[in-house]
């Protein structure tokens, strides 16, 4: 893992919360990763606040339409990164660098509009 420069005036972080969801009698292990915005005065503060947000995210259990109890638990954080810029239209929120790709693999990283998550039809998990 590479180190990250934390700006002195940093106040926003992105936390990837890993949540495991289990329905009674269902053998599947369903995991959701939620990326949330965290306002904090330091990386340590952001970490603690992220865990609190994760615990709030899991909430209480409920009965699904099949009357099976559904529970969720916070597994932890997949990542916690600082937002380097002021929050505004066009601000860079996160950055990923890949150095292991061949030129013909680069084009496959971009997907057509119809395959973007925001345009996908939502199907219930449970």
């Amino acid at each position: 893992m590479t180190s990250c420069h934390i700006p002195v005036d940093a106040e926003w972080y992105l936390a990837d919360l890993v949540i495991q969801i289990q329905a009674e009698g269902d053998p599947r292990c369903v995991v959701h990763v939620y990326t949330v915005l965290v306002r904090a005065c330091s990386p340590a503060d952001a970490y603690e606040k992220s865990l609190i947000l994760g615990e709030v995210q899991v909430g209480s259990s409920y009965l699904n339409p099949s009357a099976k109890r559904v529970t969720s638990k916070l597994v932890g954080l997949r990542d916690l990164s600082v937002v380097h810029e002021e929050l505004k239209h066009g601000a860079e929120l996160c950055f990923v660098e890949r150095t292991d790709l061949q030129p013909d693999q680069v084009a496959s990283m971009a997907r057509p509009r119809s395959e973007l998550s925001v345009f996908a039809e939502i199907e219930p998990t449970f």
Side-chain angles (χ1 to χ4, degrees), residues 18 22-23 26 28 37 49-50 54 62 81-82 100 103 106 114 122:
V18 180
Q22 185 68 49
D26 191 331
R28 296 178 297 166
L37 191 59
K49 287 181 175 180
S50 298
Y62 62 92
S81 55
V82 67
D100 58 342
V106 175
S114 62
I122 298 175

Side-chain angles (χ1 to χ4, degrees), residues 72-112:
S72 57
K73 72 175 185 175
L74 174 64
V75 177
L77 300 182
R78 181 178 69 175
D79 198 11
L80 180 63
S81 55
V82 67
V83 175
H84 285 87
E85 296 184 24
E86 175 186 344
L87 293 180
K88 61 183 178 190
H89 182 74
E92 180 181 300
L93 297 181
C94 60
F95 171 82
V96 175
E97 179 180 76
R98 295 281 308 265
T99 60
D100 58 342
L101 298 174
Q102 297 299 317
D104 60 333
Q105 295 173 302
V106 175
S108 68
M109 292 182 68
R111 297 185 299 180

Side-chain angles (χ1 to χ4, degrees), residues 26-49:
D26 191 331
R28 296 178 297 166
C29 179
V30 177
V31 175
H32 292 179
V33 177
Y34 298 94
T35 301
V36 298
L37 191 59
V38 179
R39 188 175 202 158
C41 61
S42 70
D45 186 36
Y47 179 78
E48 294 302 321
K49 287 181 175 180

Side-chain angles (χ1 to χ4, degrees), residues 48-71:
E48 294 302 321
K49 287 181 175 180
S50 298
L51 293 177
I52 292 168
L53 287 171
E55 290 298 335
V56 169
Q57 182 72 27
V58 296
S60 58
S61 64
Y62 62 92
L63 292 178
N64 69 10
S66 302
K68 301 290 185 180
R69 174 100 14 228
V70 177
T71 58

